[in-house]
Structure formats: C-alpha cells, structure tokens
Amino acid sequence: MLTRNSLCLFLWILFDGGLLTPLQPQPQQTLAAEPKENVIHLPGRRSHFQRVKRGWVWNQFFVLEEYMGSEPQYVGKLHSDLDKGEGTVKYTLSGDGAGTVFTIDETTGDIHAIRSLDREEKPFYTLRAQAVDIETRKPLEPESEFIIKVQDINDNEPKFLDGPYVASVPEMSPVGAYVLQVKATDADDPTYGNSARVVYSILQGQPYFSIDPKTGVIRTALPNMDREVKEQYQVLIQAKDMGGQLGGLAGTTIVNITLTDVNDNPPRFPKSIFHLKVPESSPIGSAIGRIRAVDPDFGKNAEIEYNIVPGDGGNLFDIVTDEDTQEGIIKLKKPLDFETKKAYTFKVEASNLHLDHRFHSAGPFKDTATVKISVLDVDEPPVFSKPLYTMEVYEDTPVGTIIGAVTAQDLDVGSSAVRYFIDWKSDGDSYFTIDGTEGTIATNELLDRESTAQYNFSIIASKVSNPLLTSKINILINVLDVNEFPPEISVPYETAVCENAKPGQIIQVVSAADRDLSPAGQQFSFRLSPEAAIKPNFTVHDFRNNTAGIETRRNGYSRRQQELYFLPVVIEDSSYPVQSSTNTMTIRVCRCDSDGTILSCNVEAIFLPVGLSTGALIAILLCIVILLAIVVLYVALRRQRKKDTLMTSKEDIRDNVIHYDDEGGGEEDTQAFDIGALRNPKVIEENKIRRDIKPDSLCFPRQRPHVEDNTDIRDFIHQRLQENDADPAAPPYDSLATYAYEGNGSVAESLSSIDSLTTEADQDYDYLTDWGPRFKVLADMFGEEESHNPDNVT
C-alpha cells in the first residue's frame, strides 16, 4: 500500500506539472526525475532531430522477489498526458518478460507481476512502453524504456563452495599457528541490507582450534598438541548471514585437520637385554638375529641407526638397519667356534638420524641395550692342520717312496677318528697314493720333471662317526730336477770372421742352455776340445758369467785358401753329476770393409776384382741391361726398315704367294688361298676400309654395259682397268674384281694362263705396261725375266 500510494502521489505531481519523464534506467530512484527533453529515435522511421514534449508519467519500478500472494503483485502505473480519460489511448508493453512475467492494463496502464521472481536468477528486467491511439493504431508517443528491479530478500544461506577442507599443521605448534582459511559465499545482494554479510564460527573442534569470524582463518588454540596422542581432528565450521543475528541463514562445512610429525621422541628399546642363540656353523655375512628400538615418531623422524659399542664381540659381529622395519640386523663378520668360545656379550646403541634442534633440551635422542649371544655346538667336519701342503720329490724317485703326510682332527667334543683319501677328480692319473689312516703320501709312478714339473691335487678327510662330514685340502708337489741333460750352445751355431781380422778379436759371444731345471747359482764353463787346442786358428774365452767369446788367433784370413772353419766348443754345467757336451761352431770367412762391416760371404765373390763394392756391381749390371736394351731396339728398327724396303722391291711378298702349280676356280673359288696376303700394308694403314668387299659410298657409280657375245674381251678389260684406276677405293688386284665374265660359265672363259697351251716364251707381256701404274711392278717383273732369259728356257 505504501508503494502504491507513493506512485499515485508521484504521478499526480507529474501530471499537474505537465511534465513527461524520460524512460531511462535510474537505479533505486524513488522520486520523479527533473523534466528534460531528449531526442527520440523511433524504430523503423527515418531519424531526424526534433524537440518533443514528453507526456509520460512513470518511475523506476521495484518488485519484491519470492512474492507468495494469491493476487498478481502490483508493480506500478503508466500514464500519458495525452490520455484524457476518454478511452482513446491504449498502452502496450514489450521487452524482458512482457506477457509472461509482467502484464499491463491497456486502458489504465497498471503493471502487475503474474509470477514469483528470483533476484538471484535475474536481478532486473528492461521493458519498453508505448501509448497508441485506439482508432488510428498510431503511436501517440515515442517508445521508451524503463526498468523493473527485483528487490532482494534474504532467501539464500551461505555456502562453502570448496568444502569439505583438508589441512595439516605440525604437532607441538604454538597457539595461534596458521592452519587454513575457509570462505563461504552468499547469493543474496551484498549491496542491500545484511543478507550477504557472513560471520564464521566453530560448532565442533574447540578447544583445539579457533576461527576468525570475519576472515575465516583457522588457527591452533592449544599449545603442544601431540601427534602421538591424537593425530586427526574434525572441525565443523558455520557461516551465518545477516551478520550473525537472529533470523539469519547459516551454512556449515567440515575441516579435517592432521597433525604432521616432528622428531620430538627419541628411540627406546623395549627391554634392556636381548638373548640370541647362534650355531657355530653359521656362515660369514649371515644374519644371526634382530633387535628393535621403538620410536613413536613417523617417517624419516622414526629412522634409526644402530651401532655396536666397542668392546667384547665388536670384531666378530656387525649390525645394519632394515629400512622397511627399522630393525637392527646383527650379522656375523668372522666364523664362530664353540670349542674356542661359547658366549659373547656386547652393547648396541640406537639413535635418530634426523634430529630437531627444538627438542635437544629434552635429552639425547638415543638408547642403549645389551646383546648376549650364545654359540651352539654343531657337529663339524675334520680340520686340517695347514691351509695348504707343499711337498718336494726328486724325479725318477722309486715307486712307493713316502714324500710327506697330512693331518686332520675332529675338534668336536668326543672327537672321532679320521680317514683320508685322494680326490680322484684332481688326480685322475693316480701318480700318488695316500694311507687312509696315517695320511702319508707316496709315489705311485715314476716322475719326470721335464714332462710335469708340478702336481696339484686334493685330499679329503672324513669323520668315521659321520662320513658325510668331510674337509678338503690342496696338495702341491714340486718335482725336483736331476741333472741328466748336458748343456748345449745357444744359437747361433754359425758366425763370420773378416779377412782382415786381427789377433785377439772377439767375433761372437755365445751362451749355453740346459734342459734341466738349473738351480740358482749354477755355472756353465766353456773351453776348446783337446784336439782343437793344438795350433788353433780360434780360441774360446770364458767370461765366467755363463757366456764365452770366440776369439781370433791369426792376423788375417783368406777365403781363397779356406772359406770355412769348424770350432769344437766343450760346455760343462756345475750340477751333480756333471754333464758336458761338445758343440761345433761354423766360422765363415767374409770380405769386410775397413770398419769391419761384412760386404760379402759368397764363394763367387772371391773372383771379383778387389775394390769393387756392392754399389759398383749394381751400377755395372745396370749398364749391361741398358746396352742390351739399346741393341734390341736397334735390331727392331732395322727389321722394320727392311720390311718397308721389301714391300717396294722385286722380292715383294705378294710374289711369293703365287703358285703356278695350282689353278683356282677364279672368282668362284674362295678357298684356294688367303688373299689377305696380297694387300698392300701402306694402303691398310692409310685407309681402314676393307678391300675384300665392295665399298658402298666411296665407289663411283658405274654403268655396266651390255656385252654381246662377239664383243672384244680386250676392250672390255681395258675399260674395267680404267674404271679401277680412277676409283681410289677399288681393290688393285684382279683376283678381287668382279667382272662377271670370268670363270667356267663366262663367255670369255678363264683369263688365267695356267691352263694355256702356249709356253712362257710364247707369251707377250708388253700389254701389262698399258694397264696403268697399279700393274707397273708386275710388268717390270715379267719384263726383267724376258731380259734375263733371252732363250726362254724353262
């Protein structure tokens, strides 16, 4: 009713003043705006500037959200000064929610909301109103906008959008230590009243934690909260709007707070003495027991380091930490012996690895406990008196000779007898035997040091009471050498002496080798054999260090007189019995230069002129080779020149291929002889075209005339000769020319003179001179024969 009365009063003031209020949004305006003129642009019309007297009476309207009344909620009223109350004006409404949310009375201009509104869904609506003439349907006023705002009510409680929360804080933290900040959101209008003003409080979680009512920061409220006492806390937080006043709405959330661990507790042994029992047969490095100190802390703060306090047992045992269980694992460092010591006692210290300096004042973070270990007796195998037995025996020692013995004992209480035997895997050839009771070792075969100098095998000892308990020991037997081989000279057995050697000159240093194993300090002696000591050409000089030098005794040696000398050298060793051997050295006489460098030791070199060196000989050989090469080249050139001369002489090779005792078949005979021999070598070099075939492009075109049966053959031949003389590619030999009229089937028959009945004396060869330059050699040959044989004797 208050709103409706205000609107009526407001509209009356506007109408009375003749003012028209512009339809522009003005937030939370309750009084009429001052009258002013605007430029209105009507939709769909051409825009132009004009002053318009506004006739609307209106205001910015408000509607209450969540209205639950049975009648539509009255919003406001629109009225125009052009409306005289005669019912000629019609009011229309358009825009947000027109017709669905808001309706208008077309006659009175009253606006109502026909459904409940939610400000959080839509805070305001923008609508357009217009006054239209009922009869003409034309607008009386330009269309204008106005706003209907939804007035907020406190209908939304605060909500924790990020809840529930998880937080942590170190244990033993002081009061006021920061834990977490929570935040609640209220969907109501924060600018209108206290609907969105939130206040925080703790419903559950006192007295351990507190919260700031405005900021929502949670802090610790008690000092020295111990994780080992209680680790998890669940705090219930409430957020209430309306500033926490009565009638406000509230929302809650849960904060799960965990106390994180700090190293505020030292490790403690649950008991002061730990008893362990260990068999004496436990292997080295094995775990023989576990002890544990308890630390209520967590994670790395509970990591414990164990150490053995120096004292009894510190050298026999070691302790390490199991990373998973934080237990101390005691391990064996050395073997135990029940017969030697039956019990050990030592102390173990447990301490934290990661210390917190804030708690040092509480005392040392470590604890100590005593460990007592009892050694249990175990039936053990026999024990040898030595870890390794080494024996020596001379080679060729008779079979069955005892060379040593081994001893093993049973150290257990109530000791048992021991039996010995050789491990057949290590002594498969059975060179040795052992007495099973006494443990004495004897040879089983003859030994040869040169074959095997050392034997290595195993002996096993077992208890008679328990044969399964055995021990094994290695036996090393060295075979001693007996001096049975004489020393021999080491290579080389051959040396050289220069022809110009001087007396007393050492030409070779020799040493000796002995197949026997020479003991330390053995000496070899060198000397000439008695038969060579009489007027020797060479002698042996013993250097007394197992070497000797071959020394010359003459002033110069001649290869022509004697090329080789044989020198017998006697070598003796110093072992027992003394062994000696005679070794013959070959000494070759060689030619040397003035510095003693050997130039030649060959026998053929004796007859070479004195003074020629190797370089000179090589130079002479090169000269001889060069001279031979010159001679061969000269002969080859001579042969080539002679060959060219013969090709133009009367002894042409083409003359030699003519056989008068064999007549061929003319041009039809291709098997009579090799016609390639008739080719001119010069023409072959100049023209590579084959002469035994008919050229294609180089031959001049010929017209073969029709020859009658009575045609003169001589004229025909002269015609063909002229054609061949003019053709440079035509073959010059009549045997290669194809005349088509020679042979058995020719009218002219054969042109050969072999079957002719006339003799050479009857032949006239003058016509050959008329055949041209190609037959000049043939004409000269037959002409010369006529001149040499005037009587034509055949």
Side-chain angles (χ1 to χ4, degrees):
M1 293 298 294
L2 180 62
T3 304
R4 180 178 299 179
N5 296 332
S6 300
L7 286 175
C8 292
L9 177 62
F10 177 70
L11 291 175
W12 179 81
I13 294 173
L14 291 179
F15 277 111
D16 184 68
L19 298 177
L20 181 63
T21 304
L23 296 178
Q24 296 295 334
Q26 297 180 11
Q28 298 187 5
Q29 182 176 352
T30 58
L31 299 178
E34 293 181 3
K36 62 179 179 179
E37 297 178 353
N38 286 340
V39 178
I40 307 299
H41 299 277
L42 296 178
R45 299 182 181 180
R46 186 174 181 180
S47 177
H48 61 278
F49 295 97
Q50 63 181 356
R51 290 185 177 272
V52 180
K53 181 180 181 182
R54 291 171 294 175
W56 285 99
V57 178
W58 69 283
N59 197 356
Q60 179 172 266
F61 301 119
F62 292 89
V63 60
L64 191 66
E65 71 169 334
E66 303 295 343
Y67 175 73
M68 304 300 295
S70 59
E71 297 294 332
Q73 183 179 2
Y74 179 75
V75 178
K77 183 180 182 65
L78 298 178
H79 188 76
S80 174
D81 56 356
L82 298 179
D83 186 2
K84 304 301 184 181
E86 298 175 353
T88 59
V89 179
K90 176 183 177 181
Y91 297 96
T92 62
L93 190 68
S94 62
D96 292 343
T100 58
V101 179
F102 304 100
T103 60
I104 188 171
D105 190 317
E106 296 180 352
T107 303
T108 63
D110 292 335
I111 300 174
H112 291 83
I114 59 177
R115 67 179 179 87
S116 178
L117 302 179
D118 187 0
R119 190 202 67 84
E120 286 72 34
E121 180 181 350
K122 189 175 180 64
F124 63 90
Y125 295 85
T126 303
L127 295 100
R128 295 184 297 277
Q130 194 171 38
V132 180
D133 189 281
I134 294 178
E135 295 180 355
T136 62
R137 300 291 182 177
K138 293 182 179 180
L140 299 178
E141 297 287 348
E143 187 180 54
S144 298
E145 289 183 348
F146 64 96
I147 294 175
I148 298 178
K149 280 193 173 184
V150 181
Q151 189 173 358
D152 182 51
I153 63 173
N154 188 20
D155 58 344
N156 293 280
E157 73 277 3
K159 295 181 179 180
F160 293 92
L161 302 180
D162 297 331
Y165 296 87
V166 177
S168 62
V169 63
E171 64 172 334
M172 312 303 289
S173 296
V175 176
Y178 176 84
V179 178
L180 180 69
Q181 183 178 13
V182 296
K183 184 177 182 181
T185 302
D186 196 325
D188 292 326
D189 189 359
T191 62
Y192 180 76
N194 294 327
S195 298
R197 183 166 171 256
V198 179
V199 174
Y200 301 95
S201 62
I202 293 181
L203 300 181
Q204 176 185 332
Q206 293 95 351
Y208 306 103
F209 301 96
S210 63
I211 188 170
D212 189 299
K214 293 182 178 181
T215 62
V217 175
I218 302 174
R219 299 179 183 274
T220 58
L222 286 180
N224 300 327
M225 287 190 293
D226 193 354
R227 185 196 69 84
E228 288 73 30
V229 176
K230 185 176 181 181
E231 183 178 7
Q232 298 288 340
Y233 293 87
Q234 190 175 74
V235 180
L236 182 61
I237 303 297
Q238 174 184 269
K240 190 174 183 181
D241 59 10
M242 299 299 292
Q245 298 176 3
L246 292 176
L249 302 179
T252 60
T253 188
I254 294 176
V255 181
N256 294 312
I257 301 175
T258 303
L259 296 182
T260 58
D261 185 63
V262 297
N263 192 9
D264 57 339
N265 295 283
R268 291 286 183 263
F269 284 106
K271 54 185 179 179
S272 59
I273 299 177
F274 292 87
H275 293 276
L276 300 176
K277 294 181 180 181
V278 182
E280 63 173 339
S281 60
S282 299
I284 297 175
S286 62
I288 61 176
R290 289 173 175 257
I291 62 174
R292 182 179 181 181
V294 179
D295 191 335
D297 292 326
F298 178 76
K300 69 176 184 178
N301 296 322
E303 293 180 2
I304 302 174
E305 181 182 19
Y306 297 92
N307 293 287
I308 295 178
V309 178
D312 185 20
N315 296 328
L316 289 175
F317 305 97
D318 192 12
I319 187 169
V320 294
T321 303
D322 188 333
E323 295 181 357
D324 296 329
T325 63
Q326 295 300 313
E327 291 178 317
I329 304 174
I330 300 176
K331 293 186 176 182
L332 191 62
K333 293 173 61 178
K334 295 182 180 180
L336 299 176
D337 188 8
F338 175 80
E339 288 73 23
T340 303
K341 192 170 183 178
K342 299 177 176 58
Y344 296 89
T345 302
F346 55 89
K347 291 185 177 182
V348 175
E349 183 180 80
S351 59
N352 280 139
L353 287 176
H354 306 282
L355 301 178
D356 194 331
H357 63 87
R358 295 178 298 173
F359 306 102
H360 285 176
S361 59
F365 276 70
K366 60 183 178 180
D367 195 13
T368 304
T370 301
V371 179
K372 291 186 176 182
I373 296 178
S374 299
V375 181
L376 302 179
D377 186 25
V378 177
D379 196 8
E380 297 176 307
V383 178
F384 283 96
S385 60
K386 294 181 180 180
L388 175 68
Y389 287 88
T390 302
M391 302 177 185
E392 294 180 348
V393 60
Y394 280 98
E395 61 179 334
D396 298 333
T397 298
V399 176
T401 302
I402 296 175
I403 60 176
V406 296
T407 303
Q409 294 180 354
D410 181 14
L411 301 179
D412 292 330
V413 178
S415 61
S416 172
V418 178
R419 293 292 181 265
Y420 307 93
F421 56 92
I422 295 177
D423 186 4
W424 63 270
K425 295 181 181 178
S426 60
D427 187 24
D429 296 330
S430 301
Y431 286 101
F432 305 92
T433 60
I434 188 170
D435 187 284
T437 304
E438 302 297 332
T440 56
I441 301 173
T443 58
N444 196 35
E445 291 184 9
L446 288 176
L447 305 179
D448 184 12
R449 191 205 65 82
E450 285 69 34
S451 176
T452 305
Q454 190 178 75
Y455 293 89
N456 189 356
F457 57 94
S458 300
I459 291 180
I460 299 175
S462 65
K463 296 174 64 171
V464 175
S465 61
N466 189 356
L468 297 178
L469 294 177
T470 60
S471 298
K472 184 183 290 187
I473 195 70
N474 288 334
I475 307 297
L476 189 64
I477 298 179
N478 295 317
V479 181
L480 302 180
D481 184 47
V482 175
N483 193 21
E484 54 185 342
F485 294 101
E488 297 177 353
I489 192 170
S490 301
V491 292
Y493 283 90
E494 183 175 338
T495 187
V497 63
C498 295
E499 289 181 316
N500 55 357
K502 303 298 181 182
Q505 182 177 346
I506 301 297
I507 62 173
Q508 180 69 48
V509 176
V510 296
S511 60
D514 195 339
R515 286 188 293 169
D516 293 318
L517 182 61
S518 301
Q522 181 175 352
Q523 294 290 327
F524 297 109
S525 61
F526 302 84
R527 70 175 187 276
L528 283 178
S529 63
E531 63 272 12
I534 303 173
K535 295 182 180 180
N537 293 311
F538 302 91
T539 185
V540 177
H541 181 72
D542 193 349
F543 294 139
R544 304 297 179 182
N545 59 356
N546 291 341
T547 61
I550 307 302
E551 183 179 342
T552 59
R553 297 294 299 276
R554 290 176 51 183
N555 187 9
Y557 298 85
S558 175
R559 284 188 294 169
R560 296 184 180 182
Q561 294 179 1
Q562 186 175 352
E563 181 186 3
L564 298 176
Y565 292 90
F566 301 97
L567 182 65
V569 179
V570 178
I571 306 176
E572 292 182 354
D573 58 17
S574 59
S575 299
Y576 180 82
V578 176
Q579 299 288 344
S580 64
S581 65
T582 300
N583 302 266
T584 302
M585 291 192 61
T586 302
I587 302 175
R588 184 181 299 275
V589 180
C590 299
R591 184 171 61 84
C592 305
D593 58 9
S594 59
D595 297 333
T597 304
I598 297 176
L599 300 177
S600 176
C601 292
N602 297 329
V603 179
E604 295 79 2
I606 299 176
F607 303 99
L608 291 176
V610 179
L612 290 179
S613 62
T614 304
L617 292 176
I618 295 174
I620 292 173
L621 291 176
L622 288 176
C623 293
I624 294 174
V625 171
I626 292 172
L627 290 176
L628 289 176
I630 293 174
V631 170
V632 171
L633 182 61
Y634 177 74
V635 171
L637 293 176
R638 292 277 296 177
R639 287 183 179 180
Q640 182 69 26
R641 185 178 301 173
K642 183 177 180 180
K643 183 177 179 181
D644 296 341
T645 306
L646 288 175
M647 295 304 294
T648 57
S649 66
K650 66 179 181 179
E651 297 180 358
D652 196 326
I653 191 172
R654 290 172 294 178
D655 300 339
N656 299 330
V657 299
I658 300 174
H659 298 276
Y660 294 96
D661 58 349
D662 184 15
E663 181 179 3
E667 66 178 4
E668 297 178 357
D669 187 2
T670 60
Q671 304 295 331
F673 59 90
D674 185 9
I675 203 161
L678 298 177
R679 297 176 184 174
N680 189 345
K682 293 184 177 180
V683 177
I684 293 176
E685 295 295 332
E686 295 175 359
N687 190 358
K688 300 297 182 180
I689 302 177
R690 294 179 59 184
R691 294 300 188 94
D692 57 343
I693 61 175
K694 182 180 180 181
D696 294 333
S697 60
L698 297 179
C699 298
F700 293 102
R702 304 173 183 176
Q703 297 292 331
R704 179 175 294 178
H706 179 70
V707 181
E708 300 180 356
D709 295 341
N710 57 356
T711 304
D712 189 2
I713 301 302
R714 184 180 298 274
D715 295 337
F716 176 78
I717 293 175
H718 279 292
Q719 180 182 355
R720 288 302 180 91
L721 289 175
Q722 291 176 1
E723 292 177 0
N724 283 286
D725 290 339
D727 186 5
Y733 315 114
D734 58 349
S735 60
L736 293 179
T738 303
Y739 299 107
Y741 291 96
E742 182 184 7
N744 295 331
S746 174
V747 178
E749 297 182 350
S750 177
L751 298 180
S752 175
S753 62
I754 295 177
D755 294 336
S756 178
L757 299 176
T758 60
T759 62
E760 292 183 0
D762 299 332
Q763 296 292 328
D764 184 8
Y765 298 102
D766 294 338
Y767 65 89
L768 295 175
T769 57
D770 299 333
W771 287 8
R774 295 180 180 273
F775 296 92
K776 181 178 182 303
V777 177
L778 186 62
D780 293 341
M781 291 172 56
F782 283 93
E784 291 178 359
E785 291 180 358
E786 291 179 357
S787 62
H788 289 301
N789 299 314
D791 299 332
N792 296 328
V793 180
T794 60

